[in-house]
Amino acid sequence: MYKTALYSEAKSSSYVQEISHMIKDKYPWEREFIQAVDELLSSLSLLFDQEPLYKYERILERIVEPERIVIFRVPWRDDTGTIQVNTGYRIGFNSALGPYKGGLRFHASVTLSILKFLGFEQIFKNALTGLPLGGGKGGSDFNPRGKSNVEIENFCQSFMVGLYNHIGPNTDVPAGDIGVGAREIGYLFGHYKRLKNVFEGVLTGKGVDWGGSAVRPEATGYGAVYFAEEMLKTRGEHIDGKIVAVSGFGNVAWGVVKKITEMGAKVITLSGPDGFIYDEDGVQGEKIDYMLTMRSSGRDQVQDYSDKFKVDFYPGKRPWGVKCDIAFPCACENEMDVEDAKSLVRNGCMCVTECANMPLTPDSIEFLLENNILYSPGKASNAGGVACSGFEMAQNSTKIKWSKEEVDQRLRQVMTDIHQNCLQAAERYGKPGNYFSGANIAGFIKVANAMLDQGNT
Ligand code: 2IT
């Protein structure tokens, strides 16, 4: 467990502390979920002091408990003819604001704790977008690395057999996450359609020619860059000319690199489970397209980039030791610890924009805030992905397709609004300029008020 001063604030409110203890007693093994709950709670003390109705109506007791969890067996046959068995999950965490909405993660590390943390984050992220989206998450411990196309298709079909009865355009609308991209969404959608005999917007991230939205593949990365630009502006700075460290090389990293390069910055790192690459000339042009090739190869290693473009590769290392102005963690939870945060600050980094979900450990967040670094939590800065999924749902239900320009403009507006709402909430509750507190408070208030309105649900 990461124990830090970040949580000391929580002690000022006994209600917040009580709920934190309750979760730890009830689910002591759910490390990531406890971390996500504690991060949210640490921002809410002042709010509960000022708004006693939340406590009276037991909003916290309710909000930390998923409305429902479906767990199912996913048997599938591999290329040798052998049956493999994985576990499938879908969590409907909160539907106060709309149908459950959130991605599916296919990765060997998936557990219920991981999915509960992701689903919990998703509630408040989706609330921040201002769109009618509840929070959910799902996935499987299936490991896509090295799997053939046929194996992926078999797995997706079997996964959908376990899931189709529990989802629908007005009930629960899954999308992609780590290990689930356009290809997987296609297989999942095709099988849903056969099982249900209906063509409807049950998944987002679909192919643009059959119901997908323009800009959805880029949206998480683009949104994070728009958010970073807004943060920089508050200090009279801009993206243009900045040196940028990025981790990961998948969908989110790709969107960041594409947009930030277009805006005049230079990306010097990418990373994978095997280490990181340092590209002095910047990841640009065909190198950006090569990120897609690496993703679709299923090899899951960034060393391929250094082999192809003859740049330095640092095996087993994370990129946070390099000199940069802005850092974009785009890989996975807890990928930046306090030592990483310290070396970034020592090297002059002024802004850390979370693009993955919960990529920073609590003590690294604490350190950045103490040092007055521009820091944004994922639930604010990576909300562009799910916002664009919300746009996809709107297009599907009206059967109208929006242009690329229209989607991009709406995306930009959502990110600017989130930025503004975070700043306003932070200011109002005594944490001016603190996006961590602002995002938690603004997201929470929106969901909690909807729950109050809807009574004993
Ligand atoms: O973490 C996320 O916000 C996502 N994986 C996207 C969710 C979505 O429904 O588009």
Side-chain angles (χ1 to χ4, degrees):
M1 198 63 47
Y2 302 98
K3 282 217 178 342
T4 72
L6 193 63
Y7 301 149
S8 60
E9 193 191 350
K11 294 199 180 75
S12 64
S13 162
S14 58
Y15 180 42
V16 158
Q17 212 181 357
E18 190 188 308
I19 300 303
S20 171
H21 285 149
M22 182 191 85
I23 286 296
K24 285 170 190 139
D25 285 347
K26 194 166 173 186
Y27 305 109
W29 56 88
E30 293 187 347
R31 193 174 75 95
E32 295 83 6
F33 177 57
I34 290 170
Q35 185 184 341
V37 170
D38 272 348
E39 285 199 14
L40 182 93
L41 294 182
S42 72
S43 302
L44 300 183
S45 295
L46 194 57
L47 178 67
F48 286 113
D49 292 345
Q50 293 185 8
E51 314 280 353
L53 197 56
Y54 294 139
K55 179 176 179 197
Y56 183 75
E57 288 292 309
R58 301 198 153 216
I59 292 291
L60 283 185
E61 284 87 337
R62 289 193 265 159
I63 222 164
V64 296
E65 195 65 28
E67 289 175 15
R68 65 183 209 189
I69 302 178
V70 187
I71 305 183
F72 47 96
R73 180 169 72 202
V74 190
W76 56 282
R77 215 176 274 281
D78 69 19
D79 285 346
T80 70
T82 309
I83 291 191
Q84 303 286 344
V85 184
N86 288 101
T87 309
Y89 306 86
R90 185 70 186 167
I91 302 174
F93 220 123
N94 193 297
S95 62
L97 296 176
Y100 306 121
K101 183 82 198 86
L104 296 170
R105 177 175 290 191
F106 292 170
H107 194 266
S109 66
V110 163
T111 61
L112 195 51
S113 171
I114 296 269
L115 295 178
K116 278 179 73 178
F117 119 63
L118 290 165
F120 189 70
E121 289 276 296
Q122 199 82 45
I123 303 171
F124 308 103
K125 180 198 310 196
N126 294 4
L128 285 170
T129 66
L131 300 170
L133 305 169
K137 203 83 191 189
S140 175
D141 58 354
F142 172 73
N143 180 4
R145 185 188 291 181
K147 298 291 187 297
S148 73
N149 203 31
V150 169
E151 289 175 324
I152 299 279
E153 183 175 3
N154 285 345
F155 177 80
C156 288
Q157 292 187 344
S158 183
F159 185 86
M160 189 48 85
V161 169
L163 187 65
Y164 78 102
N165 261 321
H166 308 285
I167 58 176
N170 297 308
T171 310
D172 184 355
V173 185
D177 193 83
I178 294 172
V180 179
R183 174 180 58 166
E184 291 75 16
I185 293 293
Y187 294 148
L188 290 164
F189 183 84
H191 216 58
Y192 176 89
K193 195 178 58 172
R194 294 180 75 192
L195 291 164
K196 279 259 178 111
N197 192 30
V198 56
F199 191 113
E200 57 187 1
V202 66
L203 294 160
T204 61
K206 299 184 291 297
V208 278
D209 295 327
W210 48 273
S213 176
V215 194
R216 179 61 191 89
E218 292 88 347
T220 312
Y222 278 22
V225 174
Y226 296 151
F227 196 95
E229 172 80 354
E230 291 301 313
M231 289 201 292
L232 289 169
K233 272 200 239 163
T234 66
R235 303 218 174 147
E237 294 277 354
H238 287 282
I239 294 277
D240 186 23
K242 296 289 185 292
I243 302 293
V244 178
V246 168
S247 65
F249 66 85
N251 168 265
V252 176
W254 170 74
V256 167
V257 176
K258 242 178 116 168
K259 179 53 72 179
I260 211 158
T261 307
E262 186 188 304
M263 286 170 72
K266 183 161 89 169
V267 176
I268 50 166
T269 66
L270 296 174
S271 75
D274 53 334
F276 81 93
I277 62 97
Y278 184 87
D279 188 343
E280 211 177 350
D281 299 332
V283 182
Q284 50 188 309
E286 60 158 334
K287 295 171 174 174
I288 302 179
D289 300 334
Y290 189 70
M291 293 172 76
L292 298 176
T293 311
M294 286 198 290
R295 159 77 176 86
S296 60
S297 78
R299 285 159 55 79
D300 205 12
Q301 58 179 51
V302 79
Q303 190 176 1
D304 293 356
Y305 182 104
S306 67
D307 291 346
K308 184 162 173 71
F309 300 112
K310 309 284 173 254
V311 300
D312 291 339
F313 172 63
Y314 297 85
K317 292 247 170 349
R318 308 200 271 218
W320 313 126
V322 305
K323 189 169 167 46
C324 66
D325 303 308
I326 314 176
F328 283 88
C330 303
C332 62
E333 58 278 359
N334 293 322
E335 58 163 311
M336 187 187 291
D337 64 21
V338 71
E339 292 311 317
D340 297 322
K342 281 180 185 167
S343 46
L344 281 171
V345 173
R346 209 181 308 121
N347 284 320
C349 178
M350 64 175 82
C351 176
V352 178
T353 307
E354 285 192 350
C355 303
N357 291 309
M358 209 168 72
L360 270 68
T361 59
D363 47 356
S364 58
I365 297 172
E366 181 78 13
F367 181 80
L368 295 179
L369 293 176
E370 271 168 6
N371 283 273
N372 202 24
I373 303 298
L374 289 169
Y375 157 76
S376 63
K379 60 172 79 70
S381 43
N382 78 24
V386 76
C388 200
S389 279
F391 301 155
E392 185 168 330
M393 289 164 70
Q395 293 169 78
N396 290 166
S397 58
T398 55
K399 299 191 163 52
I400 291 171
K401 202 172 160 71
W402 303 349
S403 70
K404 200 161 82 182
E405 292 70 29
E406 176 166 7
V407 178
D408 193 34
Q409 193 209 325
R410 285 178 187 261
L411 172 64
R412 195 162 198 150
Q413 188 62 50
V414 166
M415 298 316 294
T416 313
D417 291 348
I418 296 175
H419 177 265
Q420 203 51 35
N421 290 341
C422 289
L423 281 186
Q424 275 167 5
E427 178 87 35
R428 169 144 187 237
Y429 290 94
K431 297 274 176 182
N434 182 327
Y435 295 93
F436 176 82
S437 303
N440 285 335
I441 295 168
F444 178 82
I445 289 177
K446 190 131 201 221
V447 181
N449 289 351
M451 289 173 73
L452 288 178
D453 290 347
Q454 291 171 31
N456 181 16
T457 58

